[in-house]
Amino acid sequence: MLRILVCVSGGGTNLQAIIDGIANGTITNTEIVRVISNNKKAYALERAKNAGIDAACVSPKDYADREQFNEAFLQAVTEAEPDLIVLAGFLVVIPEKMIKAYPNQIINIHPSLIPSFCGTGYYGLKVHEGALERGVKVTGATVHFVDEGTDTGPIILQKAVAVEEGDTPEILQKRVMEQAEWQIMPRAIDLIANGKVSVKNGKVWLSE
Ligand code: GAR
């Protein structure tokens, strides 16, 4: 059984896709051991509680400085003894110490086709605003391993989604979630849980 810990900040629709995927067998060999939010008000925490999953909030607001928050966050992660940490809309920069402690054991979902519209400043709706401003005809989502950079780690899965005339950032965000994120995140976890993902020379190799 792959023990996964899911980090969230907001609505938690990707968390819900993982919970549903485990329940309906799309994701096999996997259990969610804990959900951590940096935001007390995140609806994702409700989703975790409704599914009977251990849920904790570790908020920077409760600590004197970033270092103390990072320590508390890392402790809340390690005590759950996860095999894989899943960033599902987690808007906190992962401490370097944690990245070193979990090499190729942290994955993130990003709502664009990396390397477009990613890196510092590109998160949530801002990604879709950027895509619409540039006028791209195709966007999508990416699941990747987390390394020391921002959205620079080895890419596991990507899925393209069409941009349509009249799209607003909100409409495009919803289409990218429905057609890409909620599919490739569960798929990536299932592949990892079944030993089908390896990283060589900074690139991911999948065996089916
Ligand atoms: C998702 O669109 C996810 O791809 C994005 O935040 C949203 C969270 O939604 N993540 C990033 O932008 C990371 N850079 P959710 O809470 O409903 O899953």
Side-chain angles (χ1 to χ4, degrees):
M1 269 300 204
L2 186 80
R3 295 169 58 83
I4 66 169
L5 179 142
V6 186
C7 297
V8 293
S9 297
T13 63
N14 279 286
L15 168 66
Q16 192 65 54
I18 298 166
I19 293 170
D20 294 347
I22 292 172
N24 69 25
T26 312
I27 304 174
T28 56
N29 212 13
T30 300
E31 62 174 319
I32 304 177
V33 292
R34 175 170 283 183
V35 169
I36 297 179
S37 172
N38 63 311
N39 167 11
K40 287 186 181 75
K41 293 190 184 135
Y43 184 65
L45 285 171
E46 291 300 313
R47 295 182 190 272
K49 282 176 203 150
N50 291 341
I53 299 163
D54 171 39
C57 175
V58 185
S59 166
K61 291 181 186 151
D62 296 332
Y63 297 90
D65 55 31
R66 203 68 191 179
E67 210 171 306
Q68 285 183 31
F69 163 73
N70 283 347
E71 277 306 315
F73 175 56
L74 187 54
Q75 193 185 328
V77 168
T78 44
E79 72 189 14
E81 299 182 352
D83 301 313
L84 181 74
I85 297 157
V86 177
L87 309 182
F90 190 55
L91 303 181
V92 170
V93 176
I94 300 300
E96 216 177 295
K97 192 172 164 188
M98 181 161 144
I99 294 170
K100 288 208 163 74
Y102 293 95
N104 293 332
Q105 287 176 282
I106 308 175
I107 64 171
N108 178 49
I109 180 111
H110 185 77
S112 74
L113 294 173
I114 289 175
S116 291
F117 313 110
C118 66
T120 308
Y122 279 116
Y123 58 89
L125 268 184
K126 290 184 194 295
V127 179
H128 305 293
E129 284 166 9
L132 290 177
E133 254 162 46
R134 184 62 185 83
V136 293
K137 305 301 180 205
V138 174
T139 184
T142 303
V143 180
H144 63 94
F145 283 112
V146 173
D147 66 7
E148 276 83 356
T150 307
D151 302 326
T152 53
I155 291 169
I156 304 167
L157 291 175
Q158 292 187 299
K159 188 160 190 280
V161 173
V163 178
E164 290 174 15
E165 233 177 272
D167 273 353
T168 62
E170 290 80 5
I171 292 171
L172 185 57
Q173 179 182 49
K174 187 162 178 279
R175 189 179 312 117
V176 168
M177 282 177 158
E178 285 172 357
Q179 295 184 6
E181 296 186 44
W182 301 342
Q183 296 175 25
I184 62 174
M185 181 56 116
R187 179 92 187 111
I189 294 169
D190 184 62
L191 287 168
I192 292 169
N194 290 287
K196 295 186 171 157
V197 177
S198 55
V199 182
K200 269 180 233 136
N201 302 326
K203 291 194 185 77
V204 164
W205 299 86
L206 302 177
S207 51
E208 293 292 328

